[in-house]
Amino acid sequence: MADILSDYEELLKEYSDMVTRLCVMHTRDMTDAEDVYQTVFFKLYKELKKGVIPNPKAWLLRVTVNECRSLWRYRLRRNTLSLEDVSDIPVQPADSEIWQLVMELPPKYRDVIYLYYYEELTADEIAEVTKTRPSTVRSQLKRGREKLKGQLEQEGSGRYETDEIFG
């Protein structure tokens, strides 16, 4: 039992911020993000009691995304959340202009861009988390970058060179 607790505490310390950011990005509400966060780490504890998790980071990302989606499905079925109630994301990376553009992307592009650039996962790791093929992830990254580039050019923002943003 002591090993489970120490493993749990270690994973909590290492991945707490990552899970929080992902929850806030998906829910766009700090209260909902906290609920999802608690659910994710409760599930982590239950999973650790069963045995060792081979890739805890991928497992946490997958469970977090799934829990966020479950929350939204629940909200849509219950009609309890209006668009006016959705607040701006309280936690944003340093470059809020780029962050805002990323948040305007369709979810399939937003998720892979976020996981690739902000959580620094590889295409293979993202494929494992999202349960898609790596080639699909690479295509979504390419299309997401193209959409961001188009948004930057449309805004006429001379602050950024697209090569500077996407390497």
Side-chain angles (χ1 to χ4, degrees):
M1 187 66 147
D3 289 338
I4 293 171
L5 286 176
S6 64
D7 290 347
Y8 178 77
E9 288 174 358
E10 184 179 313
L11 292 171
L12 182 67
K13 286 178 187 173
E14 186 171 351
Y15 297 114
S16 179
D17 290 342
M18 176 192 72
V19 170
T20 301
R21 286 189 304 268
L22 194 55
C23 289
V24 170
M25 183 192 82
H26 271 272
T27 64
R28 298 181 185 218
D29 179 79
M30 201 59 177
T31 305
D32 288 340
E34 289 169 353
D35 289 344
V36 171
Y37 175 92
Q38 288 178 353
T39 302
V40 168
F41 280 101
F42 178 70
K43 285 186 174 192
L44 173 67
Y45 182 75
K46 285 176 35 179
E47 194 68 22
L48 285 173
K49 286 175 72 175
K50 294 178 188 175
V52 177
I53 300 171
N55 187 345
K57 183 176 183 178
W59 186 91
L60 282 166
L61 288 169
R62 183 172 48 252
V63 171
T64 302
V65 168
N66 289 340
E67 286 301 316
C68 289
R69 289 178 180 161
S70 293
L71 175 74
W72 279 106
R73 281 192 301 271
Y74 173 79
R75 297 285 177 154
L76 289 173
R77 280 195 315 267
R78 300 287 181 202
N79 290 330
T80 58
L81 184 66
S82 69
L83 291 176
E84 292 80 32
D85 292 339
V86 178
S87 62
D88 289 336
I89 296 174
V91 179
Q92 296 181 3
D95 191 338
S96 62
E97 182 181 348
I98 298 296
W99 177 254
Q100 288 299 91
L101 293 175
V102 169
M103 293 306 297
E104 292 172 12
L105 290 172
K108 66 181 177 182
Y109 302 130
R110 180 184 63 218
D111 289 350
V112 295
I113 293 285
Y114 173 80
L115 292 171
Y116 188 82
Y117 288 103
Y118 291 96
E119 294 301 334
E120 299 177 350
L121 297 181
T122 65
D124 291 337
E125 292 169 328
I126 295 169
E128 183 180 337
V129 168
T130 58
K131 296 189 177 191
T132 58
R133 294 187 311 254
S135 60
T136 301
V137 170
R138 285 189 280 280
S139 295
Q140 290 173 339
L141 278 169
K142 182 179 185 286
R143 291 182 186 126
R145 287 182 195 118
E146 289 168 355
K147 285 187 175 291
L148 281 174
K149 183 178 178 181
Q151 288 175 323
L152 285 169
E153 290 171 352
Q154 182 180 0
E155 280 191 8
S157 175
R159 273 183 48 195
Y160 303 101
E161 292 293 325
T162 53
D163 293 340
E164 184 181 306
I165 296 169
F166 302 120

